[in-house]
Amino acid sequence: MFVDVATAADRPNMVVVMVDDMGFSDIGPYGSEIPTPNLDALAAGGVKFSQFYNTGRCCPTRASLLTGLYSHQAGIGWMTADQGAPGYAGRLNNKCVTIAEVLREAGYFTAITGKWHVGANHDVNPWGRGFDRNLTLAAGGVHFSNQTGSKGGASLFLNGETIALDDPRANPPWYGCDLWTDQGIDFVDEAIAANKPFFWYLAHTAPHFPCMAPEETIAKYRGKYMAGWDKLREERYARQIASGLIDPNWKLEARPEEVPAWDSLSPNEQSRYDDMMAIYAAMIDQVDKNIGKLVDALRERNQLDNTIILFLSDNGGNAEAGVTGKYNGANPGDPHSDVFIGRCWAHLNNTPFRKYKHYNHEGGTATPLIAHWPRRIKPLSGPSGWIETPTHVIDIMATCVDLGGATYPQSYQGNAITPMQGQSLKPLMVGAGNFADRPLFWEHEGNAAIRVGNRKLVRQGMNGDWELLDLKADRTEQNDLASEMPEQVAALSTQWQKWAKEANVLPKPKNGKKRKGRKQPKQAAKAKG
C-alpha cells in the first residue's frame, strides 16, 4: 500500500554508502593516517559504531544489506555462481524483498549507483528489484572509463539499458567514485522534482582491486608508506586507543609469521610496497572527496538536515595475492595496471584484528559504521563517544523500514517472504527506545562464527577447530578459551548448527561445483518509473 508523501513529510531521505574491500582502520575516525576530513565531519556530527559487522565477503554482505536476511536465506551464501543448493543459488531469490522494493511501496524514490553483484548473471537486476533508477555494474572492479585488463570489457547499466563504459551519457572520462556520486545526485534531483523522499544506495567500487586512482591523488601519498606496516600499525592502534574505539587491554595481534618485518626488506622492495599502498590510500581519498561532494549537494538542495547517511564497508581488508601482492603495468595505479596490495598491507588495514576478507574472525567481519542525520542524531556525550552494542548489516533493512514508515511484507508478488532478521538501529542512533540482545551468526566458505553477548565461537574452514573468545576482554582474539570451557563450546556450536540448518547454510553444495549463471543480456529491459 502506497503512503501519501504529503502526510509523511518528516520521513528522512536515506543514503547508504558502501565501500568495497576497505579495512576496519582505513578512515580517520577508526585510526587511519589517510586524511578523511569529510568522513571525520560526518562522524563528529553523528554517531560511530565500534562493533558493527558485515559478512566477510562482498556478495553475501550486499545480499544481507539489501534484504535484511542472512545471506544464505537470500540465496547468496557464497558468490554469484549457482552451486545447486538453496542457500547457494548465486542470486537474490524470490523469498526475499529488497529495501528498494519495500520503500518504493511506501512512496520513496529509489536509486542505486555503483556495484550490484547479487545475481546479474542470472538476470536479477536493480530495475527488477525495486530501483526506479540505476547506474550500475553487474559486478565490481571498474574504476576508469578507459580501463583495460580483466575488467576492461565490462558494461554499465543505465536505468536498465546496457551501455559502454565510455558512453557519452556517463560523461567520460570519469573515475568511478565521481561517476557513482554525480549520477546519484542527478537521481536525487529527480526525486526532489517528484516531491518524494529518496533512498539512494551508493555502492562504491573503491578500494577493491585492481587498485587504481588518478595520478595526482596517488602522488600525494608516495613516500608516506616508507615507514612500513609495523610502525604504521602501532600508530593506528595508538590512535584507536586514544579515541576510545579500542580497549587498551586488547592486545595488538603480533605480525603474522608470513608477513616480513619492514626493516628486513631491501630499499627496492620497500619502494614497491610504498607505491602499492599509496595507490590504495588515493582510492580512500577519492571516496572521502565524494562524501564531501554528496554532503554539499544535499546541503545546497536543503535536504541534508533530514537525510540519514550510513557509511560502511562490505568486508575487511583484502589479503588476496598473498605477501607480495601484485604490482603490474607500465604505470601502476593507472587504468591499464593490475595492483593488489596483498596480505602485508591488509594486516595494516584491519588493525588491531586478526585475519582478513573471507574469514569470520574480527578482521574479516568488523566494519566502520557512521550514521549522520542532523534532524535526529546528536553526537554522543561522555568519555567513549562510541555505540558499542554489537550490530550487523542485517539491521539496515529494519532501520530503513522503521524510519520510512514502511511495512515489511509477509508476501510479495505471490511469494512468501522470509521474515527480516535484523533490528532497527534507531534506538541506538537517537538514544531512545530499546535494542534487544540477540545472537549473531556467520558462515562463508566453511568459516563460521556465532556471537552471544560477549562470547564468540569462531572457526577457520569446515574442518577447523572452534575457538572460544571473550570479546569484552579480548576482541583481538588472542586468547582461545575452548579447552578451558568445553561446555560453552558445545552449547554455542549446537546453537550455530541449529541456525545453519534453518538459514539455508546447510545443506552445503555436495561437490562445491561452481555452476555458471546465464550471461548478462546485451540489451536489458527498460526500468519502470
Side-chain angles (χ1 to χ4, degrees):
M1 180 177 180
F2 283 87
V3 175
D4 182 358
V5 176
T7 66
D10 290 333
R11 294 184 300 158
N13 306 307
M14 306 178 202
V15 181
V16 176
V17 183
M18 176 175 280
V19 290
D20 199 356
D21 277 14
M22 187 191 81
F24 182 74
S25 67
D26 280 333
I27 58 175
Y30 288 75
S32 184
E33 71 290 333
I34 304 169
T36 54
N38 296 296
L39 285 165
D40 295 356
L42 284 187
V47 291
K48 311 179 297 290
F49 289 70
S50 64
Q51 300 197 57
F52 192 83
Y53 290 104
N54 52 49
T55 73
R57 192 78 180 276
C58 50
C59 297
T61 293
R62 288 159 208 280
S64 286
L65 182 148
L66 282 166
T67 67
L69 305 179
Y70 285 104
S71 62
H72 307 75
Q73 294 173 305
I76 304 185
W78 185 64
M79 299 290 280
T80 58
D82 182 356
Q83 294 185 287
Y88 304 87
R91 60 176 178 82
L92 296 183
N93 59 35
N94 293 327
K95 296 181 179 180
C96 66
V97 286
T98 69
I99 297 173
E101 286 170 327
V102 174
L103 290 185
R104 187 160 72 174
E105 290 290 319
Y108 273 74
F109 185 99
T110 58
I112 174 175
T113 56
K115 180 176 177 178
W116 177 240
H117 214 192
V118 285
N121 52 319
H122 303 283
D123 297 334
V124 176
N125 293 294
W127 52 92
R129 295 307 306 247
F131 286 95
D132 296 313
R133 298 290 184 269
N134 76 280
L135 179 68
T136 49
L137 293 160
V142 175
H143 306 294
F144 280 104
S145 53
N146 63 333
Q147 188 166 328
T148 57
S150 62
K151 302 292 183 178
S155 297
L156 292 170
F157 301 94
L158 176 61
N159 298 328
E161 182 181 350
T162 306
I163 65 173
L165 296 181
D166 60 355
D167 188 286
R169 286 167 288 184
N171 194 29
W174 49 257
Y175 182 68
C177 293
D178 299 315
L179 176 65
W180 316 129
T181 305
D182 292 344
Q183 184 63 67
I185 292 169
D186 287 347
F187 292 153
V188 165
D189 287 336
E190 288 192 64
I192 294 170
N195 194 31
K196 289 185 175 184
F198 56 84
F199 168 72
W200 172 18
Y201 174 31
L202 169 51
H204 280 295
T205 54
H208 191 285
F209 63 84
C211 295
M212 50 183 63
E215 168 58 28
E216 61 271 22
T217 311
I218 299 171
K220 293 166 53 177
Y221 296 97
R222 287 201 180 97
K224 295 186 181 297
Y225 287 91
M226 291 298 287
W229 42 74
D230 295 319
K231 180 179 179 182
L232 290 169
R233 198 160 191 264
E234 290 176 357
E235 291 175 353
R236 287 192 181 192
Y237 178 61
R239 284 190 289 268
Q240 290 173 330
I241 291 172
S243 72
L245 171 61
I246 296 300
D247 187 323
N249 293 316
W250 298 344
K251 295 180 180 179
L252 180 65
E253 184 205 11
R255 174 170 31 82
E257 289 185 8
E258 64 271 19
V259 176
W262 181 260
D263 290 342
S264 72
L265 302 176
S266 70
N268 284 342
E269 289 173 322
Q270 290 181 343
S271 179
R272 174 183 181 275
Y273 278 120
D274 168 76
D275 200 42
M276 291 161 64
M277 189 60 190
I279 296 164
Y280 180 90
M283 300 177 84
I284 301 292
D285 183 305
Q286 289 291 321
V287 167
D288 185 75
K289 182 189 77 173
N290 278 279
I291 292 292
K293 184 191 298 182
L294 184 161
V295 169
D296 288 345
L298 294 175
R299 183 181 292 113
E300 290 165 2
R301 290 158 175 78
N302 296 316
Q303 300 294 319
L304 182 63
D305 188 55
N306 198 34
T307 297
I308 181 168
I309 300 172
L310 299 173
F311 176 91
L312 70 158
S313 180
D314 63 347
N315 45 247
N318 181 17
E320 294 171 27
V323 168
T324 59
K326 290 185 180 180
Y327 188 68
N328 301 320
N331 297 291
D334 78 3
H336 318 297
S337 62
D338 185 25
V339 175
F340 290 49
I341 61 171
R343 181 168 296 180
C344 300
W345 288 124
H347 180 60
L348 172 69
N349 299 153
N350 296 332
T351 305
F353 298 133
R354 284 175 63 194
K355 301 295 181 185
Y356 322 97
K357 172 185 177 179
H358 295 265
Y359 299 100
N360 293 160
H361 290 75
E362 297 290 287
T365 59
T367 174
L369 177 67
I370 297 170
H372 184 270
W373 180 16
R375 179 169 290 184
R376 293 297 307 277
I377 293 177
K378 304 304 177 188
L380 292 178
S381 58
S384 172
W386 295 89
I387 293 175
E388 298 178 344
T389 304
T391 42
H392 192 283
V393 69
I394 57 174
D395 298 326
I396 302 297
M397 166 68 90
T399 304
C400 292
V401 170
D402 185 9
L403 300 182
T407 300
Y408 185 91
Q410 294 183 335
S411 63
Y412 186 76
Q413 295 183 347
N415 299 299
I417 299 300
T418 305
M420 63 181 170
Q421 304 295 293
Q423 299 177 179
S424 174
L425 299 173
K426 181 181 176 182
L428 299 174
M429 296 188 298
V430 304
N434 296 316
F435 189 89
D437 293 336
R438 61 354 191 344
L440 295 172
F441 302 92
W442 294 264
E443 194 281 338
H444 184 64
E445 296 180 326
N447 304 310
I450 173 175
R451 177 171 178 168
V452 179
N454 288 312
R455 282 286 192 262
K456 179 180 177 181
L457 196 70
V458 62
R459 76 176 185 214
Q460 181 176 333
M462 286 285 291
N463 300 315
D465 294 330
W466 286 111
E467 299 174 62
L468 180 65
L469 304 158
D470 178 355
L471 295 191
K472 183 172 179 59
D474 174 36
R475 196 178 169 207
T476 53
E477 302 175 321
Q478 301 300 296
N479 184 21
D480 181 7
L481 304 173
S483 62
E484 301 172 28
M485 302 177 180
E487 71 288 347
Q488 288 197 25
V489 173
L492 288 171
S493 62
T494 298
Q495 188 174 355
W496 182 88
Q497 287 284 342
K498 182 176 183 293
W499 166 80
K501 292 176 182 177
E502 294 172 347
N504 291 337
V505 176
L506 302 174
K508 296 279 282 184
K510 290 183 179 180
N511 56 15
K513 184 178 180 181
K514 301 173 185 178
R515 302 179 182 180
K516 294 182 179 180
R518 287 175 289 174
K519 290 184 178 180
Q520 181 69 19
K522 291 184 178 180
Q523 183 72 24
K526 292 279 188 176
K528 296 181 180 180

